Amino acid sequence: MNARQPAPACAEPLAERRLRALVEQGLPLVPRPWQALAEQCGLSEAEVMACVRRWQAEGLVKRLGLVVRHRALGITANAMVVWDVPDDEVAELGRRLAAEPAVTLCYRRPRRLPDWPYNLFCMIHGTRRERVLAALDEIVERQALQATPHRVLFSLKAYRQHGGRYTREERP
């Protein structure tokens, strides 16, 4: 989006609702995605950009990102490593794990005792299980986590990934 253009007012509610539904589906992979969205919902490109800017200013949209279809790239050995970390250490260890090159995602979740004592989760993606496990071994060594209880859970099935959905699908 070009910040130098003056932002026109956003569109009427129906067109804005259509735009929101289109944005939830993902940006089209074309040279001018905002123009393509505008054409699909009956707005100008400037109106589409004004709506998105307003949504960002209001905090309705925090960020725009992409979802990588990693399996299509041959990255099929995907492990979630779950850790049982003392609660007063989880934030610091989470920051350190998130900085590891092999870790693609790291987040904290509440424990579900008595069956699930794990409170720190990280993902390691790779092309082969052996490589993922080798990367984990290196992380354990570098971060001195030999005594920290953890489990490695490899994914067995891939589900369709997409961003959040906030509008109802229109039914004919």
Side-chain angles (χ1 to χ4, degrees), residues 78-139:
N78 307 302
M80 176 178 286
V81 184
V82 294
W83 305 86
D84 179 7
V85 180
D87 289 329
D88 61 337
E89 298 173 21
V90 72
E92 174 58 30
L93 179 56
R95 279 190 285 279
R96 292 189 348 241
L97 288 175
E100 286 284 344
V103 172
T104 56
L105 183 66
C106 188
Y107 52 95
R108 181 182 197 168
R109 288 286 185 262
R111 302 171 198 276
R112 299 290 182 219
L113 298 173
D115 300 319
W116 193 256
Y118 308 104
N119 59 345
L120 185 62
F121 296 56
C122 69
M123 290 296 300
I124 301 174
H125 296 283
T127 56
R128 294 194 341 244
R129 283 183 179 224
E130 301 80 30
R131 288 183 179 174
V132 169
L133 292 171
L136 175 59
D137 288 344
E138 291 172 9
I139 291 169

Side-chain angles (χ1 to χ4, degrees), residues 123-164:
M123 290 296 300
I124 301 174
H125 296 283
T127 56
R128 294 194 341 244
R129 283 183 179 224
E130 301 80 30
R131 288 183 179 174
V132 169
L133 292 171
L136 175 59
D137 288 344
E138 291 172 9
I139 291 169
V140 167
E141 184 70 29
R142 238 186 333 273
Q143 299 295 335
L145 297 172
Q146 295 84 349
T148 304
H150 65 279
R151 288 181 59 190
V152 182
L153 309 169
F154 280 95
S155 60
L156 301 175
K157 179 178 171 104
Y159 294 92
R160 184 174 180 273
Q161 295 176 286
H162 58 75

